[in-house]
């Protein structure tokens, strides 16, 4: 039997995502009620600019006092889609203190203070759900946290930022340079006026921290994630990748060490074979590849951003949290029992593609090979082209530690016959 008294929801933020959440809650109110087991009522919407025109948003629900809204004793669930660290953090903890559960899309806050927020939720017997914080509409947090709870996840490898994937895809398919591809992404609305958070990897790093924490049942903060942007990727890098049967993607990579005693989390551009499922992810789409001990290889694919996809994830969490409210229960909280340390990037072992500008003379290849051998970095393949006294030397290594590769490159820069290091890129997805 359906409960007649509605569950009341406060919405913090009414931009692209918040407006879509409002639309879905209004137009699908009857369906939501049937799925939850009680009416779900939007009780207030906190915004910074109340005079802004918001089509389809009831004006009587608008308020600028977000704190007063979350302190109302009758609010059951708070949806936070304002982003940033403050005032979002204070509003979420205040919501917990006043008996409300929280649904959030705030990746930056969760990556920085997820442990404290989970602790606050547990202290007050509330839920903290955040499917929308990682990959838009793609169900990822819940499968990791619930469906794979009985399995051992060893690796999470994914494209978790649509803007960067669009740019790299255009560079690959059209031969465009980085600036041209960025301009196209901006014109189509895929890139912000200031794209730094996307192209420098900050957005993907926050998502990597969240995914690693859930996958490996340990605490991983944003500061633990190695981050490298993709602004230095060139058309020449794509040409080299194609010669290897690869393409280039900005990847979030979370791994459990072979001995199981530590984890790593990193974001950087990488070459991946065209045969890998992630290589075919085009335009602004996201995809995440999970390797688990019993389940094997799983791939999750779909739109990773935008108002409608993100709102879909928010509403999915809202339904789950409302059901928990009716059952007087809470869903899964933080699982960090393994307490695994996060290893530094220097310990990460992977393959590398190094392009060197060298003098076109006898003995250069032998000198370069000697430096690699001195640092214990094994060479897989070498390709050399040149004329008129100048040459390009491309070296692809077997798997080596990042620290060893860095020492190798530093030594190479000191060779008289090496004019410069044109590019260094990791090779993943073997």
């Amino acid at each position: 039997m359906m409960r007649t008294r509605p569950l009341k929801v406060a919405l913090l933020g009414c931009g692209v995502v918040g407006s879509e959440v409002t639309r879905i809650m209004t137009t699908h109110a009857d369906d939501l009620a049937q799925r939850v087991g009680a009416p779900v009522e939007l009780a207030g919407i906190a915004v910074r600019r109340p005079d802004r025109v918001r089509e389809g948003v009831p004006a009587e629900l608008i308020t600028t006092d977000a704190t007063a809204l979350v302190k109302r004793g009758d609010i059951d669930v708070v949806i936070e889609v304002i982003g940033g660290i403050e005032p979002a953090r204070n509003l979420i903890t205040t919501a917990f203190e006043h008996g409300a559960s929280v649904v959030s899309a705030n990746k930056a806050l969760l990556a920085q203070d997820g442990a404290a927020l989970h602790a606050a939720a547990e202290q007050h017997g509330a839920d903290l759900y955040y499917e929308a914080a990682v990959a838009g509409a793609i169900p990822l947090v819940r499968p990791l946290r619930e469906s794979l709870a009985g399995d051992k996840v060893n690796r999470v490898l994914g494209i978790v930022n649509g803007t960067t994937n669009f740019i790299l895809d255009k560079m690959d398919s059209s031969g465009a340079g980085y600036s041209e591809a960025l301009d196209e992404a901006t014109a189509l609305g895929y890139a912000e006026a200031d794209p730094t958070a996307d192209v420098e990897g900050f957005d993907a790093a926050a998502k990597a921290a969240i995914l690693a924490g859930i996958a490996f049942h340990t605490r991983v903060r944003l500061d633990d994630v190695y981050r490298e942007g993709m602004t230095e990727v060139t058309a020449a890098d794509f040409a080299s990748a194609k010669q290897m049967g690869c393409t280039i993607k900005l990847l979030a990579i979370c791994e459990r060490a072979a001995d199981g005693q530590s984890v790593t989390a990193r974001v950087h551009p990488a070459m991946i074979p065209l045969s890998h499922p992630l290589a075919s992810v085009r335009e602004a789409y996201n995809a995440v590849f999970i390797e688990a001990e019993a389940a094997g290889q799983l791939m999750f694919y779909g739109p990773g951003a935008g108002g409608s996809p993100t709102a879909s994830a928010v509403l999915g969490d809202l339904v789950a949290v409302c059901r928990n409210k009716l059952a007087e229960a809470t869903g899964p909280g933080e699982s960090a029992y393994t307490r695994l340390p996060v290893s530094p990037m220097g310990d990460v072992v992977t393959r590398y593609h190094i392009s060197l500008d060298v003098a076109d003379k006898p003995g250069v290849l032998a000198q370069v090979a000697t430096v690699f051998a001195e640092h214990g970095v094994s060479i897989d393949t070498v390709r050399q082209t040149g004329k008129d006294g100048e040459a390009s030397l491309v070296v692809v290594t077997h798997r080596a530690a990042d620290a060893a590769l860095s020492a190798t490159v530093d030594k190479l820069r000191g060779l008289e016959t090496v004019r410069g290091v044109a590019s260094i890129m990791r090779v993943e997805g073997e």
Side-chain angles (χ1 to χ4, degrees):
M1 180 180 294
M2 182 178 294
R3 192 180 81 167
T4 57
R5 184 172 68 81
L7 290 160
K8 294 191 175 183
V9 178
L11 176 62
L12 308 181
C14 198
V16 174
V17 176
S19 296
E20 191 64 12
V21 168
T22 302
R23 184 191 68 78
I24 296 173
M25 288 187 66
T26 302
T27 58
H28 297 286
D30 291 341
D31 285 339
L32 288 173
Q34 292 294 329
R35 294 167 192 173
V36 169
V40 181
E41 175 186 303
L42 193 54
I45 304 172
V47 299
R48 286 186 299 173
R49 297 186 293 273
D51 297 332
R52 179 180 172 186
V53 176
R54 297 175 174 86
E55 187 176 346
V57 177
E60 65 273 15
L61 296 181
I62 297 294
T63 178
T64 57
D65 195 341
T67 301
L69 179 59
V70 299
K71 283 185 174 180
R72 282 175 46 173
D74 62 339
I75 298 297
D76 296 289
V77 184
V78 170
I79 298 175
E80 183 271 310
V81 290
I82 56 178
I85 305 302
E86 292 293 359
R89 174 169 48 196
N90 183 62
L91 290 170
I92 289 174
T93 55
T94 300
F96 291 145
E97 292 166 1
H98 288 78
S101 289
V102 172
V103 172
S104 176
N106 196 331
K107 52 188 168 287
L109 178 58
L110 289 159
Q112 178 172 307
D113 289 321
L117 293 177
H118 274 294
E122 182 177 3
Q123 179 184 350
H124 296 286
D127 273 323
L128 173 62
Y129 276 48
Y130 43 89
E131 185 69 68
V134 176
I138 305 172
L140 192 57
V141 171
R142 191 170 291 124
L144 275 172
R145 194 159 66 167
E146 298 178 30
S147 303
L148 295 173
D151 206 341
K152 181 181 180 182
V153 175
N154 291 316
R155 195 168 195 241
V156 180
L157 173 76
I159 299 164
V160 294
N161 183 278
T163 299
T164 55
N165 199 57
F166 180 90
I167 293 170
L168 292 172
D169 182 45
K170 289 303 173 184
M171 293 177 69
D172 185 26
S173 61
S174 69
Y178 167 75
S179 296
E180 297 169 82
L182 174 59
D183 287 344
E184 184 176 353
T186 304
L188 292 172
Y190 291 127
E192 301 287 346
D194 179 1
T196 302
D198 295 322
V199 300
E200 293 295 349
F202 291 100
D203 175 85
K207 295 171 181 177
I210 296 169
L211 289 173
I214 299 171
F216 306 132
H217 302 278
T218 194
R219 287 180 177 168
V220 180
R221 300 181 74 252
L222 181 57
D223 292 346
D224 296 322
V225 181
Y226 172 83
R227 177 193 55 78
E228 186 179 315
M230 40 79 70
T231 58
E232 301 300 318
V233 176
T234 67
D237 291 326
F238 274 101
S240 293
K242 287 181 179 180
Q243 290 180 338
M244 290 179 59
C246 293
T247 188
I248 299 171
K249 299 291 186 181
L250 184 74
L251 298 178
I253 305 169
C254 311
E255 293 179 306
R256 188 190 301 268
D259 62 5
Q261 299 305 304
S262 64
V263 300
T264 60
R266 50 197 165 103
V267 168
H268 54 71
M271 294 182 180
I272 58 172
L274 294 175
S275 58
H276 194 281
L278 291 178
S280 62
V281 178
R282 309 296 300 275
E283 301 284 335
Y285 279 80
N286 285 191
V288 177
F289 200 74
I290 295 174
E291 298 175 12
E293 200 165 88
Q297 297 179 332
L298 307 169
M299 182 166 163
F300 300 80
Y301 169 85
S308 294
T310 306
S312 172
V314 169
L315 268 294
D317 279 351
L318 176 63
V319 169
V321 170
C322 285
R323 287 172 176 169
N324 291 343
K325 280 282 184 179
L326 291 180
E328 298 182 350
T330 55
E334 183 190 33
S335 175
Y337 71 93
T338 63
R339 297 182 176 84
L340 294 174
V342 182
S343 296
M345 187 63 190
D347 293 345
V348 171
V349 175
T350 189
R351 295 176 68 204
Y352 292 86
H353 176 282
I354 304 102
S355 180
L356 304 172
D357 295 326
V358 300
D360 188 14
K361 61 168 63 173
V364 173
L365 179 56
Q367 285 184 333
V368 169
T370 297
V371 173
F372 277 87
E374 286 174 352
H375 293 87
V377 180
S378 176
I379 294 175
D380 183 16
T381 62
V382 177
R383 185 176 71 254
Q384 183 172 357
T385 59
K387 62 180 180 178
D388 301 328
E390 297 295 330
S392 174
L393 189 66
V394 175
V395 178
V396 179
T397 74
H398 287 290
R399 292 174 64 83
D402 187 84
L405 194 283
S406 295
T408 300
V409 172
D410 287 344
K411 182 69 176 289
L412 289 171
R413 293 183 196 275
L415 293 180
E416 183 179 345
T417 52
V418 175
R419 312 294 195 213
V421 179
S423 70
I424 304 171
M425 190 165 295
R426 297 168 183 87
V427 183
E428 300 285 347
E430 299 171 82

